[in-house]
Amino acid sequence: MRDRIGTTVSVIGGLLVIAGLIGLLTQDDDPTSEISAPGSSSSTTTAAAVPSTNPPTTTPPTTAAPTTAAPTTAPPTTAPPTTAAAEPPNQTVEEFFVEYVAAVEAGDGEFLHDRLHPVVLDQSEAELCGSFIEREILALGDYRMTGEVEGPIEREVAGTLIRELYSVPVAFEFQGETFEGTATFAPVAGQMHWFTECR
């Protein structure tokens, strides 16, 4: 009796071992039956794996706008409108008078000749005016204004209409004597010129 029970137990144990082996073999053939724990490196990926319904964990491609440098728009370099050259403002009588006295004291006959009014030069020869300046004008001393500048006024001088004529009372010394008179000026192209009678 004991022999039968031992034999039966052995047969049942053998059958269980065989059944267990068959179960293991059939599990290896099912690709979806293998589950790996999170973080396990023993997971096997096969072509017939069931697709996951979770969103992919891969980093999506960057869709940031390309970084382009802001266009450098320099302010337009527009040239100023071309207009006719404006005439310089007229030199004042007072400003010219300082230059005139300085030229007399320095013996600068060329400056005095160049600043004679064109009407004077039209009425006299250049050589005559040059010698007159050298002989008489450069010999003046203590040339000064004695009153206020008057003008501008419009007047005809030697047949020419002068539209801006200025005059001022003056005093000076010549050959040891003091004289008084009136100096007359008019602007030409912004610079003051003087009048005299070359003799």
Side-chain angles (χ1 to χ4, degrees):
M1 182 87 160
R2 288 182 181 174
D3 290 338
R4 280 186 194 173
I5 292 171
T7 303
T8 302
V9 169
S10 297
V11 170
I12 292 173
L15 289 174
L16 288 174
V17 169
I18 291 171
L21 288 174
I22 291 172
L24 285 174
L25 289 175
T26 57
Q27 281 184 355
D28 286 342
D29 292 336
D30 186 4
T32 62
S33 64
E34 187 171 308
I35 300 173
S36 20
S40 170
S41 60
S42 64
S43 62
T44 305
T45 56
T46 62
V50 177
S52 172
T53 57
N54 295 329
T57 58
T58 57
T59 307
T62 16
T63 58
T67 57
T68 56
T72 55
T73 54
T77 55
T78 54
T82 54
T83 56
E87 288 189 13
N90 287 342
Q91 182 181 38
T92 66
V93 171
E94 291 84 357
E95 291 169 343
F96 175 66
F97 199 86
V98 172
E99 294 179 355
Y100 182 91
V101 171
V104 170
E105 292 176 352
D108 189 354
E110 185 177 350
F111 172 81
L112 297 173
H113 189 274
D114 290 342
R115 296 297 282 272
L116 278 171
H117 196 278
V119 169
V120 176
L121 295 173
D122 287 344
Q123 301 300 316
S124 307
E125 294 180 3
E127 291 181 5
L128 178 62
C129 287
S131 61
F132 169 73
I133 290 171
E134 292 288 337
R135 185 181 66 250
E136 297 191 24
I137 302 300
L138 294 182
L140 301 178
D142 195 20
Y143 197 85
R144 61 197 182 277
M145 290 185 183
T146 58
E148 298 294 325
V149 176
E150 296 180 4
I153 61 171
E154 188 175 289
R155 181 184 295 170
E156 188 173 304
V157 178
T160 301
L161 181 64
I162 307 297
R163 299 194 178 274
E164 289 185 60
L165 193 71
Y166 298 86
S167 61
V168 60
V170 295
F172 53 89
E173 293 180 4
F174 181 70
Q175 295 180 350
E177 295 185 35
T178 300
F179 296 88
E180 292 183 351
T182 301
T184 310
F185 310 93
V188 177
Q191 291 186 324
M192 202 62 70
H193 288 63
W194 64 292
F195 291 84
T196 191
E197 183 182 346
C198 299
R199 52 184 186 273

